[in-house]
Amino acid sequence: MKDTLTYEELKAAVHAAYDACKGLTGGQNAHYIPYLANVDSSLFGISACMPDGRMISVGDTNYKLGIESVSKVPTAILVMRQLGADALLEKIGADATGLPFNSVFAILLENDHPSTPLVNAGAVTACSLVEPKGSADQKWKAIVSNMTDLMGSEPELIDELYQSESSTNFQNRSIAWLLKQYGRIYDDPEMSLDLYTRQCSMGVTADQLAIMAATICADGTNPKTGKQVFAPELAPKVTSLMATVGFYQHSGDWLYTTGLPAKTGVGGAVIGVMPGQFGICAFSPPLDDAGNSVKAQAALKHIMEGLKLNIFSR
Ligand code: GLN
C-alpha cells in the first residue's frame, strides 16, 4: 500500500471519478419508501476527508440525503462505545449474511444471532442495546449525539422521510418481533424499531458522511473537531464489519473489485474507509438490485483504481 497518499493525488482521483461517472445511467431510486422514490435521481456528489481534516468536495455534497443504512455504522459504534466490542459480538454478531438487508430468512437460518449490526435485524437489536435502557428520549439523544461526534456537526431528522418509512415498514416490524421471539431484543421491540426507523430518516450531507468515515479512518479521532470519539482499538472492528457485509449479498464482489471497506444506504450514499488514508462518501440516488447506489459504486471503484490502493495490498 502507498503510505504517503497526498492531498493532490486524492483530489485528482476524486475529480477524475466525478467526471467519468457523472453521465452514468442505470438503477432506480428506492421504490419501497415513497419519499426516496421522489428524490431527484440526477443528484451526484463525492466528498473525501483526510485524517488532517483537509477535504475535497465535488457535486451535490451539501444536499441533505436520507442516511438510511449508513446509520447502522454509527449506532454499531455507539453500542461498542457503551458496552464494548465483545458485547457487540456476543449479542449481535459480526458475520456476513449473504442475503438482502431486510432478510427474514437470515434470522431464521441463524436464530441464535441477528448476524451483524449492519443489516436491518442487527441494527434493530443495536437500537435495543443503546443505553440508557427504557427511555426512548434518552436513547435517541445518545444516537444523535454519537452521530454528531462522528460527523463534527448535527444531523437533522427529515420528518417527511420518517413518516414515509414508518407507514411502510411492515417487514421491519416482522423482523423486530421475530428477534423478540429469539430473545435478541434487549428493550421494548416497538421502541427499538422506531429508533431504528428514525435514525434511518436522518438528513445528512455527503460532506458530513465523509467526515464520519474519516473519523473511523483516523482511529476514532474526528479530523475536524480533534475529539477522540471512540477508542482506537475499535476502528478495525468497525472497518471489518463494513468490509464483511457493507453491500449485503454483493459484499464479496465489492471487496474483490475495489478493496475498499464501505457501507451503503438506500438513500444513495456509500461511505468508504481507507484506514489512515481517507474517509469518503459518494452519493447518487439510483440503486442496483441489492439497494446499493450505482453511480456511487462506480465512482469509488474509479477512485480506488486511480489511486492503486487496496486494503489487501501493500
Ligand atoms: N430504512 C431502510 C430499511 O429499513 C434502510 C435500508 C437500507 O438502506 N439498505 O429498509
Side-chain angles (χ1 to χ4, degrees):
M1 190 187 294
K2 252 199 263 196
D3 36 44
T4 49
L5 173 71
T6 67
Y7 176 77
E8 291 308 325
E9 283 171 328
L10 182 58
K11 185 175 174 186
V14 167
H15 281 270
Y18 183 82
D19 291 340
C21 300
K22 65 173 184 271
L24 280 184
T25 53
Q28 61 177 125
N29 288 24
H31 52 272
Y32 72 104
I33 299 173
Y35 175 94
L36 294 176
N38 293 321
V39 165
D40 179 357
S41 304
S42 70
L43 289 163
F44 179 41
I46 311 173
S47 180
C49 180
M50 297 188 86
D52 63 7
R54 280 183 295 175
M55 292 193 71
I56 297 133
S57 302
V58 53
D60 301 309
T61 59
N62 276 320
Y63 174 81
K64 282 237 184 285
L65 59 101
I67 188 171
E68 296 299 338
S69 282
V70 176
S71 68
K72 290 165 177 159
V73 176
T75 300
I77 292 173
L78 177 59
V79 170
M80 287 192 245
R81 284 174 77 180
Q82 292 185 329
L83 305 173
D86 290 347
L88 182 128
L89 184 63
E90 186 210 313
K91 295 193 182 306
I92 302 177
D95 245 338
T97 63
L99 289 165
F101 56 81
N102 56 0
S103 177
V104 169
F105 194 48
I107 306 170
L108 297 171
L109 280 174
E110 204 163 344
N111 62 35
D112 61 337
H113 277 74
S115 295
T116 162
L118 301 195
V119 298
N120 292 15
V124 176
T125 297
C127 288
S128 80
L129 283 167
V130 167
E131 305 273 5
K133 295 276 168 57
S135 165
D137 282 356
Q138 294 301 316
K139 282 166 84 105
W140 179 242
K141 273 200 185 122
I143 289 169
V144 177
S145 120
N146 176 60
M147 275 191 202
T148 304
D149 281 350
L150 290 164
M151 300 191 301
S153 56
E154 283 181 18
E156 199 180 297
L157 186 75
I158 305 175
D159 200 53
E160 208 186 326
L161 175 56
Y162 172 52
Q163 302 304 333
S164 186
E165 289 214 36
S166 299
S167 56
T168 52
N169 65 349
F170 308 113
Q171 182 140 342
N172 289 339
R173 282 187 219 181
S174 316
I175 285 172
W177 284 103
L178 189 57
L179 288 169
K180 172 73 180 162
Q181 170 70 22
Y182 286 134
R184 289 289 169 184
I185 291 284
Y186 303 93
D187 206 335
D188 181 76
E190 290 291 343
M191 183 228 277
S192 306
L193 174 67
D194 182 60
L195 289 168
Y196 166 74
T197 311
R198 257 196 279 172
Q199 74 172 26
C200 285
S201 307
M202 281 299 207
V204 293
T205 66
D207 284 342
Q208 286 179 303
L209 289 181
I211 296 168
M212 175 189 290
T215 302
I216 302 167
C217 119
D219 291 340
T221 300
N222 184 312
K224 291 291 191 189
T225 62
K227 180 170 178 173
Q228 181 82 47
V229 180
F230 60 83
E233 59 269 24
L234 295 181
K237 307 284 185 213
V238 180
T239 317
S240 75
L241 289 172
M242 292 169 65
T244 306
V245 77
F247 286 68
Y248 314 112
Q249 65 269 43
H250 292 172
S251 299
D253 288 352
W254 170 260
L255 204 55
Y256 182 91
T257 312
T258 63
L260 176 69
K263 178 76 197 84
T264 75
V266 293
V270 181
I271 61 165
V273 175
M274 256 329 260
Q277 312 255 24
F278 60 85
I280 195 159
C281 174
F283 157 65
S284 161
L287 311 174
D288 68 12
D289 62 313
N292 304 323
S293 168
V294 172
K295 234 191 240 187
Q297 289 183 77
L300 294 179
K301 181 167 178 281
H302 198 282
I303 289 166
M304 294 305 283
E305 283 171 358
L307 293 173
K308 298 192 173 27
L309 283 176
N310 186 315
I311 195 168
F312 298 112
S313 303
R314 308 200 286 129

